[in-house]
């Protein structure tokens, strides 16, 4: 397998080459002279400072050629939403933030273990849908943090694509693909979307309800765009002030979305109320059972389950059966007949 590296400086090229040479045939060229000639490249790694105008214009010049390569991993320097969006706009299918370790890079380039048929099958449709989903989330989050309108149609189309993947390949493939390739809030939103769709299918909901669910899931945490990344991605327990800040995200998401055309009242309701509990102990409006809709009840279960099984670099992944036990312990807060119906989704699908 040949991996081609394109970088904006010789030191960057040699750092990446050193990580890859033992595992792949690695070729490389400098970004300003890049031609990407041969057609047998399995993946490309782009390592460049996306704050530099020259890097961006060189990348725009080769975007057409880059997009012919199935896997395009961008290594960027800045953990900020604008750089991530920029990378996706320039053609990335995966984005990693420097300093990147060899293990992280290899994990992006290799889909599962060699010979792992399920992993390589899901790598095609599933990985593409997950990358499109991450790109759509990145652009929504950056729009909200910059106060720009959100591309609602794009988010809905991406969510439909995710729903098709779940229907074709099942939930387990989706969970594995997303956890392997995506991080933080985008990983969470992609997991919630997949789990909510699968839950809807298992409940035999109609097409319109499933669409409502996957859109609500894609948008549900959009208010986190207004929370500083230092708090959002803090690898430790939050203090009271930080927790209070995080708890502003459902109302912030509602405020950001309500100005956009194409968002239905049910979706707005789900975004605002996905942290409410039946016993009135949730936030932001401390609603009681009768005011919490079915879509919200389903979304809340998918959301909590996703948060428990997420892969974070500072915490091990909780096994699915253990996460389901936690849902079962939340009586009074969650609708127990729905939690019972979630059993198959949680454990076997
Ligand atoms: Fe949330
Ligand atoms: Fe969430």
């Amino acid at each position: 397998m040949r991996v081609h590296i394109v970088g904006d400086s010789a030191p960057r090229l040699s750092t990446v080459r050193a990580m890859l040479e033992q595992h792949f045939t690695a070729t490389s060229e400098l970004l300003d002279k890049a031609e990407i000639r041969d057609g047998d490249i399995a993946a490309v790694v782009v390592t460049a400072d996306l704050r530099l105008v020259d890097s961006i214009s060189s990348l725009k010049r080769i975007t057409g050629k880059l997009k012919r390569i199935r896997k395009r991993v961008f290594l960027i320097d800045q953990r900020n939403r604008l750089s991530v969006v920029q990378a996706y706009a320039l053609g990335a299918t995966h984005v990693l933030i420097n300093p990147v370790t060899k293990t992280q890079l290899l994990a992006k380039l290799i889909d599962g273990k060699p010979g792992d048929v399920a992993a390589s099958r899901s790598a095609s449709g599933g990985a593409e849908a997950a990358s499109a989903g991450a790109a759509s989330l990145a652009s929504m989050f950056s729009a909200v943090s910059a106060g720009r309108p959100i591309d609602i149609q794009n988010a809905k189309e991406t969510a439909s694509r995710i729903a098709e993947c779940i229907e074709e390949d099942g939930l387990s493939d989706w969970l594995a693909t997303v956890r392997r390739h995506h991080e933080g809030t985008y990983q969470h939103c992609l997991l919630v979307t997949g789990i909510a769709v699968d839950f809807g299918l298992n409940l035999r909901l109609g097409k319109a309800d499933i669409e409502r669910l996957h859109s609500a899931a894609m948008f549900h945490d959009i208010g986190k765009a207004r929370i500083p990344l230092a708090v959002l991605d803090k690898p430790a327990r939050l203090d009271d002030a930080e927790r209070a800040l995080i708890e502003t995200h459902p109302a912030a998401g509602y405020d950001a979305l309500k100005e956009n055309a194409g968002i239905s009242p049910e979706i707005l309701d789900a975004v605002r109320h996905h942290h409410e509990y039946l016993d009135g102990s949730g936030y932001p409006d401390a609603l009681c059972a009768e005011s919490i809709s079915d879509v919200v009840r389903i979304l809340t279960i998918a959301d909590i389950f996703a948060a428990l099984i997420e892969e974070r670099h500072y915490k091990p992944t909780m096994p699915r059966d253990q996460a389901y036990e936690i849902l079962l312990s939340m009586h009074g807060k969650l609708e127990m007949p729905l939690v019972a119906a979630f059993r198959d989704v949680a454990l076997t699908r």
Side-chain angles (χ1 to χ4, degrees):
M1 169 169 161
R2 182 176 152 208
V3 177
H4 191 61
I5 309 153
V6 176
D8 61 4
S9 72
R12 282 190 198 260
L13 286 180
S14 56
T15 305
V16 178
R17 272 192 92 110
M19 291 186 199
L20 299 183
E21 263 165 352
Q22 278 179 322
H23 306 269
F24 309 103
T25 307
T27 52
S28 61
E29 59 189 334
L30 280 166
L31 178 56
D32 58 351
K33 298 186 189 72
E35 302 207 10
I36 316 185
R37 270 223 183 92
D38 293 329
D40 65 338
I41 303 171
V44 64
V45 177
V46 174
T47 171
D49 186 342
L50 296 188
R51 288 166 302 178
L52 302 178
V53 180
D54 285 353
S55 298
I56 291 172
S57 59
S58 299
L59 278 164
K60 282 186 177 160
R61 182 177 57 77
I62 56 169
T63 296
K65 286 180 177 171
L66 278 180
K67 286 191 174 171
R68 286 204 285 269
I69 302 165
R70 188 175 73 80
K71 187 169 284 187
R72 308 175 291 270
V73 183
F74 277 49
L75 313 185
I76 64 173
D77 294 336
Q78 295 292 304
R79 181 174 280 286
N80 66 43
R81 294 186 176 106
L82 212 60
S83 300
V84 176
V85 174
Q86 181 78 272
Y88 280 117
L90 290 163
T93 55
H94 302 85
V95 177
L96 286 171
I97 319 278
N98 280 318
V100 171
T101 65
K102 182 173 168 180
T103 316
Q104 286 172 318
L105 183 55
L106 291 177
K108 290 285 182 277
L109 291 168
I110 303 167
D111 296 317
K113 300 175 211 84
D116 183 342
V117 179
S120 64
R121 186 165 54 82
S122 75
S124 50
E128 285 295 323
S131 294
S136 169
L137 286 160
S139 102
M140 279 199 287
F141 273 68
S142 108
V144 169
S145 57
R148 291 194 313 269
I150 300 164
D151 188 345
I152 302 288
Q153 197 47 35
N154 175 264
K156 286 186 176 176
E157 280 164 16
T158 324
S160 297
R161 224 168 125 188
I162 295 172
E164 282 165 22
C165 278
I166 303 289
E167 269 188 272
E168 275 168 32
D169 298 333
L171 184 62
S172 293
D173 275 2
W174 177 253
L175 299 182
T177 303
V178 171
R179 287 192 292 196
R180 195 181 306 124
H181 294 300
H182 298 279
E183 286 174 330
T185 307
Y186 303 150
Q187 180 196 102
H188 171 74
C189 295
L190 294 171
L191 291 177
V192 176
T193 305
I195 293 165
V197 165
D198 199 54
F199 194 9
L201 291 170
N202 199 36
L203 290 168
R204 306 204 186 287
L205 298 183
K207 196 164 178 274
D209 281 333
I210 302 238
E211 274 175 19
R212 224 164 271 142
L213 254 188
H214 63 57
S215 295
M218 272 295 272
F219 295 119
H220 82 284
D221 270 342
I222 188 77
K224 286 184 177 169
R226 301 241 167 105
I227 313 283
L229 288 178
V231 176
L232 210 51
D233 291 341
K234 186 177 172 184
R237 224 182 151 73
L238 299 174
D239 64 31
D240 289 348
E242 290 165 337
R243 181 146 298 284
L245 189 59
I246 291 267
E247 292 187 0
T248 61
H249 80 272
Y254 173 88
D255 290 341
L257 282 174
K258 70 174 194 264
E259 309 299 340
N260 290 266
I263 285 280
S264 66
E266 292 110 310
I267 292 175
L268 278 177
D269 175 63
V271 169
R272 187 175 177 97
H273 293 132
H274 68 277
H275 287 284
E276 301 286 0
Y277 290 134
L278 302 182
D279 62 4
S281 64
Y283 60 90
D285 298 321
L287 293 185
C288 281
E290 58 275 14
S291 311
I292 301 176
S293 74
D294 288 345
V295 170
V296 173
R297 293 173 193 217
I298 293 170
L299 180 63
T300 301
I301 291 171
D303 184 36
I304 298 170
F305 188 71
L308 292 169
I309 64 163
E310 262 162 50
E311 194 147 293
R312 290 292 187 112
H313 49 90
Y314 55 85
K315 80 170 176 71
T317 309
M318 184 182 283
R320 287 165 69 170
D321 55 350
Q322 217 173 311
Y324 185 64
E325 287 297 318
I326 292 181
L327 292 180
L328 284 175
S329 73
M330 294 177 72
H331 20 192
K333 296 184 183 295
L334 303 177
E335 188 180 322
M336 280 302 132
L338 274 179
V339 174
F342 188 67
R343 187 186 165 82
D344 275 357
V345 179
L347 303 182
T348 57
R349 284 164 69 94

